[in-house]
Structure formats: structure tokens, C-alpha cells
Amino acid sequence: MREWWLLVGLLCIPLLAVYLHIPPPQLSPALLTWRSAGAFFTFRSNNIFYRETYGAVGSSDVVILLHGFPTSSLDWYKIWEPLNRRFNRVIALDFLGFGFSDKPRPHRYSIFEQASVVEALVSHLGLTEQRVNLLSHDYGDTVALELLYRSDHNRTGHLTINSLCLSNGGIFPETHHPRFLQKLLKDSSFLSPVLTRLTNYMVFSKGLGDVFGPYTQPTDAEFLDMWTGVRFNDGNLVMDRYCTIHFHGIPFLHVISLPPCLSVHMIYGPLDPVNPHPQFIFLYQKLVQRSTVSVLDEHISHYPQLEDPTGFLNAYFSFINAF
């Protein structure tokens, strides 16, 4: 009996070694098109991917899109063209450790650093004196609030923010319910390196699919593009690093003490298991009374810009055109 288990163990070792060195998926035509339409700039010796397009003639309005965890700027592809018809410049980036940007390891990722990445991009694009509109989602909400704090306190290099629109971000710890894998990555420091290597496409797509509504699931091609973005530059090996800062990033009082002259809005998919209804939106309306709110259809979940791009755009344009 012992010899049988020993034989199985010896056979599993090379199989596990092969599995752990499976190369990342090839970039799909959609990802190749997205990357070729973008560019890179350097932030502290790291290459940061961004995409910028010029749109509405006669307008000086700029919108900067801040994506969520664990995905990338591709999250905005369904609403890019309509935004481009409304704004003079539409800009999105992949945060450090995400998408096509560099994913250094070992590295101490932080929300503060991600905010500095956005500020560096704004400077790189010559928009330091320009009033910008921030449109964020999930992890990007936390980065946006740090940018707002810096702007309100006149920190060096800060953005001049014209408006802020949040969407389905875990900005209140008491109403935030991370998924099982996120909890493992956050809490199991000694297991995290193993878990990040063992996570595969099936585990990833199942976990991510759970935060989409049952009628608004991504296609297989979309799931694969999201996973490819994670695997690009071995990003799966740093997921535990920025997963931790997602939940322990900044003081959430930032969102409560909003500048009086700032227009703020929340677009919310109410089927979200990460920030569940009605607890999240009730707390948001209680604490952020100056903000307006758009609650989308009941079947829309954590990724409203992908699940209901028309409803998301209608809500955003109603907000942005009101001032």
C-alpha cells in the first residue's frame, strides 16, 4: 500500500511541475487591437499601459476611467465609443500590476502608489491644469477617493477634479463581502504564493462569473480575455499583493468629507454580492448625502458597465450633463 501511494506521489510531482509552468494564453484579436491602440509611459522604472482617444470636437471635457479588480482598462470597451462622442479626450490605464502594465515582484503595492500612477499619467499627457472627470469602478473607486483627498488638500501634483462617478466599489468595509478566493489571498499569507500559482482559468472564470448577474454573464471569449489580462506578465503571481490593499487601502472617511463644490454620483448594480443591496446603497446615501445615485435594473450585478452598458451610460450622461 505504501509503495502504491509513493508511486502516485512520484508521478504527480512532474505533472504538477508542468502545470505550474503552463504558459499564459495568447492574446486574442480583441486584446491585440486594444493594446495596439494604446501606449506606455514610465512610472518609477515600470511601464504603464494607457489608452487615449480624442473625440468630441468643440469640447474640452476630459474623462479618466479607473478600472476594478482583478481586471483592466478593457472593462470599459463597451462604453468607450459613446464616451468618445461626448468627451474631447477619453483616457484609461492599467494600474501597476494589472493588464498590460508591468507587474513587478517582489513589490509593495498600495492604493497610494496607484493614485500616484494616475497623477503621473495626467502629467505625462499635459493635463495638470485641466479639470478632469473621474469615472471609476470597484478597486478604481478606492483609487479615485485617494485622488480626491489629495486634490482637496492641495497635495503636490494633485488632479483638478471636475466630477467623480463611482460604481460598485467596496468603499465601506462593513458592507463589503469579498469572494472566497479573495479572502484566501488576503488572509492566508503563507498559502498565497501557492494559491496564485494554482489558480487557473476554470477557477478564475467561476469566481468572476459569480459577481455577474445570471442573465448578464460574459461570453467565453470575454472570460478568456479577462484571464489573459491577469496572466500577462505573470500577473496571477501578484494578485495576493494588490488583493490585500483592496481591503486595507485608505481611510474611508475620504468619501464622507466631499468638497462642497464637487459633483458626485454613484451608479450601482443592485445584484452585487460583493456590495449587497440594500445595505450598501442605504449606507452610502446615509453617509454621502450630497451624492446622487442611480440604481440599475435588479438583474445587474458587480460589473454594471459590462452588464448593462446602455443603462450605465444613460445614468452617467444624465449626471454629467446636469452641470
Side-chain angles (χ1 to χ4, degrees):
M1 181 64 70
R2 290 180 182 176
E3 292 178 355
W4 182 81
W5 280 108
L6 180 61
L7 181 62
V8 171
L10 290 174
L11 287 172
C12 286
I13 289 174
L15 291 174
L16 182 61
V18 169
Y19 170 77
L20 293 178
H21 290 85
I22 293 176
Q26 295 294 310
L27 298 184
S28 69
L31 284 175
L32 286 169
T33 299
W34 190 262
R35 187 174 68 165
S36 65
F40 292 85
F41 79 102
T42 302
F43 174 82
R44 299 175 185 171
S45 302
N46 291 297
N47 291 318
I48 303 297
F49 174 82
Y50 70 94
R51 186 177 179 191
E52 176 191 26
T53 57
Y54 286 81
V57 177
S59 170
S60 61
D61 291 349
V62 175
V63 63
I64 299 176
L65 313 176
L66 307 177
H67 69 79
F69 168 90
T71 41
S72 70
S73 58
L74 190 67
D75 290 352
W76 305 105
Y77 86 96
K78 287 187 177 180
I79 64 172
W80 190 276
E81 288 307 319
L83 289 174
N84 207 45
R85 292 192 292 269
R86 167 59 178 80
F87 291 92
N88 178 249
R89 296 170 79 170
V90 180
I91 301 162
L93 77 158
D94 290 346
F95 290 124
L96 184 67
F98 293 78
F100 294 129
S101 292
D102 282 354
K103 299 166 180 176
R105 56 185 174 94
H107 184 80
R108 189 177 181 84
Y109 292 86
S110 75
I111 289 294
F112 308 109
E113 182 180 50
Q114 303 289 20
S116 296
V117 170
V118 178
E119 290 176 338
L121 175 60
V122 168
S123 176
H124 173 74
L125 296 176
L127 294 171
T128 305
E129 304 300 322
Q130 174 76 42
R131 295 179 66 84
V132 300
N133 302 283
L134 296 181
L135 175 55
S136 61
H137 170 245
D138 184 61
Y139 179 95
D141 285 5
T142 313
V143 178
L145 294 176
E146 171 60 19
L147 290 167
L148 178 61
Y149 178 82
R150 296 181 184 190
S151 177
D152 192 38
H153 289 76
N154 291 314
R155 297 287 180 87
T156 301
H158 70 82
L159 276 62
T160 304
I161 300 174
N162 184 55
S163 73
L164 170 62
C165 183
L166 309 166
S167 58
N168 285 79
I171 57 177
F172 301 122
E174 55 266 54
T175 61
H176 189 248
H177 299 272
R179 310 310 292 160
F180 178 68
L181 182 59
Q182 290 175 302
K183 291 179 181 178
L184 285 178
L185 292 174
K186 178 174 73 75
D187 298 331
S188 306
S189 56
F190 68 98
L191 284 177
S192 293
V194 177
L195 292 171
T196 55
R197 288 185 177 275
L198 291 178
T199 300
N200 58 22
Y201 171 71
M202 290 182 62
V203 173
F204 173 83
S205 58
K206 174 63 172 64
L208 196 63
D210 286 345
V211 302
F212 281 77
Y215 308 113
T216 56
Q217 289 285 304
T219 65
D220 290 343
E222 288 172 328
F223 269 132
L224 186 57
D225 280 346
M226 293 174 184
W227 173 238
T228 303
V230 171
R231 284 296 315 273
F232 191 83
N233 285 339
D234 291 328
N236 56 307
L237 302 183
V238 301
M239 284 178 65
D240 58 320
R241 306 299 177 88
Y242 51 69
C243 189
T244 301
I245 65 170
H246 189 189
F247 310 117
H248 302 291
I250 63 171
F252 289 89
L253 289 175
H254 289 13
V255 73
I256 302 172
S257 55
L258 296 172
C261 60
L262 183 71
S263 297
V264 182
H265 192 65
M266 166 67 73
I267 302 176
Y268 178 62
L271 200 58
D272 187 356
V274 182
N275 307 289
H277 187 272
Q279 296 93 329
F280 171 80
I281 206 66
F282 282 177
L283 183 61
Y284 182 83
Q285 291 176 313
K286 176 182 176 181
L287 297 179
V288 196
Q289 296 180 9
R290 285 190 46 255
S291 174
T292 51
V293 173
S294 295
V295 179
L296 302 182
D297 290 344
E298 61 182 13
H299 64 278
I300 305 303
S301 188
H302 186 66
Y303 273 83
Q305 76 275 38
L306 289 174
E307 299 179 64
D308 184 13
T310 300
F312 189 94
L313 282 167
N314 287 340
Y316 184 59
F317 286 155
S318 293
F319 161 65
I320 205 73
N321 292 331
F323 59 89

